[in-house]
Amino acid sequence: MRKTYNGLVASDDVTCRFRKGKVTVILGGSGSGKSTLMRQVVGLEKPDSGTVHFGDRELTSLSRAELYEYRKKMGMLFQASALFNSLDVFENIAFPLREHTKLADQVIRTMVKMKLELVGLRGVEGLMPSQLSGGMLKRIGLARAIIMDPEVVFYDEPTSGLDPISAGVIDKLIVDLNEILGVTSVVVSHDIESSFKIADWIMILFFGKKIAEGTPEEIQSSEDPRVQQFIKGSPEGPIPFTRTDKDFYEDILIP
Amino acid sequence: MKTSNASMSEGVEVIIVEGEIDMHVSPKFRDLLLNVFKKKAKGVVVDLSGVPFMDSSGIATLVEGLRWSKNEGTRFVLAGLQENVSHTLKLSKLDDFFEISSTQADAISSIG
């Protein structure tokens, strides 16, 4: 896939495969094109060129209505959890079922309880999002992401902004749900420690390009200095601090 | 999903389901189950031997049956679960709440 915004290349001919039933982590720094890549994969944006395949279907050529149908097979956990502030926990999780199905109220109630049990939060149905901690909000977001029994779950930076314990809980949930439900998981992250814990497969993006992929062990032993700089979180190395090639002196003095 | 219902001489209602039970067909499955429970039989058996897949809406619909059976004092027995469905039920941690028989005949005789 290739995607540019105002001449800036956000996805530079990236090819990726997400293995069925496995956890794939897309790692990269801020502005490396992780979110852009995910938005194209789920069909929120069309690539300038390239295709997206889900099973035997090609998603970029689907109509809006067909894509809407397809998205029911995908669950998404957004970075800010994206819960409705005016709805309680129960209605937030039930929302996709009310939108897409004709299930009876009592059946929906049971399904919400089943998902809350999976994320370890049964009993908070009546609380409002404002009454929940950051870690709990993520878990509620996750219960909503899996309420339709999706085949693939996408996680956008699931542990960012969480304390280490809450982050550990989310990591464990991602792995457990992957094993229990057999779903394919795609995680966009810049959290190195968490990624190495949960991933079956890691891809590293750098300025829109895929620079490495492999098992966590393969990535760890990569000799690519860009990979080593990223996983060690070092400010010094081939990954530059600034994005522009333009000389600072010229940039300031020449209008 | 195809369904059929038969009233047995033992006072047991048998529901036979064939095909996948997912969010599209669960409402229809629930309607059938509700109508059968209204017959106030001694027991209700759901033969799932023809069901290769059931999602969480199917499980939640079976929970409806369980609730009605408690309210009505009707025995509710699931029969012939395929491995996949049995696995889904186990993962939902609800398997212990249901009476499960390996065949329809076993289920009927367990009630009679």
Side-chain angles (χ1 to χ4, degrees):
Chain A
M1 284 173 290
R2 186 173 185 82
K3 182 82 187 170
T4 56
Y5 299 104
N6 296 327
L8 185 74
V9 185
S11 289
D12 196 350
D13 297 329
V14 178
T15 300
C16 44
R17 278 197 177 81
F18 305 115
R19 287 161 176 76
K20 200 172 176 176
K22 301 284 183 195
V23 180
T24 301
V25 176
I26 304 170
L27 256 181
S30 300
S32 61
K34 308 183 297 289
S35 297
T36 303
L37 185 66
M38 193 166 88
R39 291 174 67 80
Q40 292 171 91
V41 172
V42 299
L44 288 171
E45 289 202 44
K46 273 192 178 182
D48 299 340
S49 61
T51 52
V52 180
H53 298 268
F54 186 96
D56 55 358
R57 298 298 296 271
E58 202 284 291
L59 299 194
T60 59
S61 58
L62 295 183
S63 68
R64 217 183 156 88
E66 287 172 316
L67 195 58
Y68 191 68
E69 273 305 301
Y70 242 77
R71 287 226 191 91
K72 292 181 195 169
K73 298 179 179 191
M74 304 172 179
M76 287 175 225
L77 176 62
F78 298 98
Q79 212 174 123
S81 298
L83 299 177
F84 297 109
N85 287 330
S86 56
L87 299 180
D88 64 15
V89 165
F90 173 80
E91 287 301 337
N92 262 292
I93 300 172
F95 191 80
L97 295 175
R98 297 213 192 278
E99 279 286 294
H100 300 297
T101 74
K102 294 185 165 57
L103 294 167
D105 252 11
Q106 194 57 52
V107 171
I108 290 179
R109 199 156 288 280
T110 303
M111 289 175 73
V112 169
K113 279 186 193 296
M114 286 162 67
K115 304 303 178 187
L116 279 171
E117 172 72 12
L118 278 173
V119 300
L121 279 180
R122 205 159 36 80
V124 302
E125 292 91 322
L127 297 182
M128 300 302 284
S130 59
Q131 296 173 293
L132 303 175
S133 69
M136 286 164 96
L137 286 172
K138 292 269 181 185
R139 283 151 80 183
I140 299 301
L142 185 49
R144 184 178 63 183
I146 58 173
I147 193 72
M148 296 280 290
D149 291 352
E151 292 176 31
V152 186
V153 180
F154 293 92
Y155 301 86
D156 192 3
E157 310 219 351
T159 56
S160 75
L162 297 183
D163 66 79
I165 293 173
S166 301
V169 168
I170 295 292
D171 283 344
K172 186 171 171 350
L173 270 176
I174 293 173
V175 173
D176 285 353
L177 292 180
N178 192 74
E179 280 171 8
I180 292 171
L181 306 176
V183 292
T184 303
S185 306
V186 179
V187 183
V188 161
S189 180
H190 56 228
D191 185 336
I192 310 286
E193 196 189 326
S194 141
S195 301
F196 279 93
K197 262 197 284 184
I198 65 173
D200 293 302
W201 195 257
I202 293 176
M203 282 173 47
I204 298 184
L205 294 184
F206 171 63
F207 282 179
K209 263 191 196 317
K210 182 173 73 182
I211 58 165
E213 69 177 318
T215 62
E217 296 74 28
E218 286 166 347
I219 293 293
Q220 208 116 40
S221 57
S222 165
E223 287 175 9
D224 186 325
R226 295 168 303 180
V227 173
Q228 283 305 322
Q229 186 194 348
F230 187 74
I231 62 178
K232 285 177 186 146
S234 167
E236 306 294 333
I239 301 177
F241 175 64
T242 176
R243 281 192 80 102
T244 180
D245 294 331
K246 210 170 173 184
D247 186 81
F248 189 34
Y249 179 77
E250 277 180 26
D251 208 11
I252 288 218
L253 294 184
I254 302 168
Chain B
M1 181 189 74
K2 276 198 280 184
T3 56
S4 57
N5 167 222
S7 306
M8 313 306 273
S9 55
E10 296 88 339
V12 177
E13 292 290 326
V14 176
I15 298 169
I16 300 172
V17 191
E18 284 175 276
E20 299 191 345
I21 303 180
D22 60 17
M23 293 187 200
H24 293 291
V25 301
S26 278
K28 192 180 149 200
F29 179 41
R30 182 179 182 272
D31 288 346
L32 173 72
L33 210 54
L34 184 59
N35 284 331
V36 170
F37 267 97
K38 282 180 182 162
K39 294 182 182 177
K40 311 269 182 201
K42 191 158 70 169
V44 173
V45 171
V46 182
D47 184 339
L48 294 167
S49 58
V51 177
F53 168 83
M54 185 185 287
D55 69 9
S56 53
S57 72
I59 304 284
T61 303
L62 290 177
V63 171
E64 292 279 88
L66 194 61
R67 187 175 297 115
W68 296 328
S69 81
K70 302 285 177 215
N71 292 344
E72 305 286 332
T74 306
R75 290 272 300 281
F76 183 54
V77 185
L78 309 180
L81 273 65
Q82 292 192 24
E83 207 181 316
N84 196 4
V85 173
S86 182
H87 185 63
T88 308
L89 196 58
K90 212 179 195 107
L91 295 180
S92 67
K93 301 182 191 171
L94 295 169
D95 52 330
D96 286 344
F97 301 155
F98 288 96
E99 278 190 69
I100 298 171
S101 288
S102 48
T103 64
Q104 186 192 127
D106 285 352
I108 295 168
S109 62
S110 77
I111 295 169

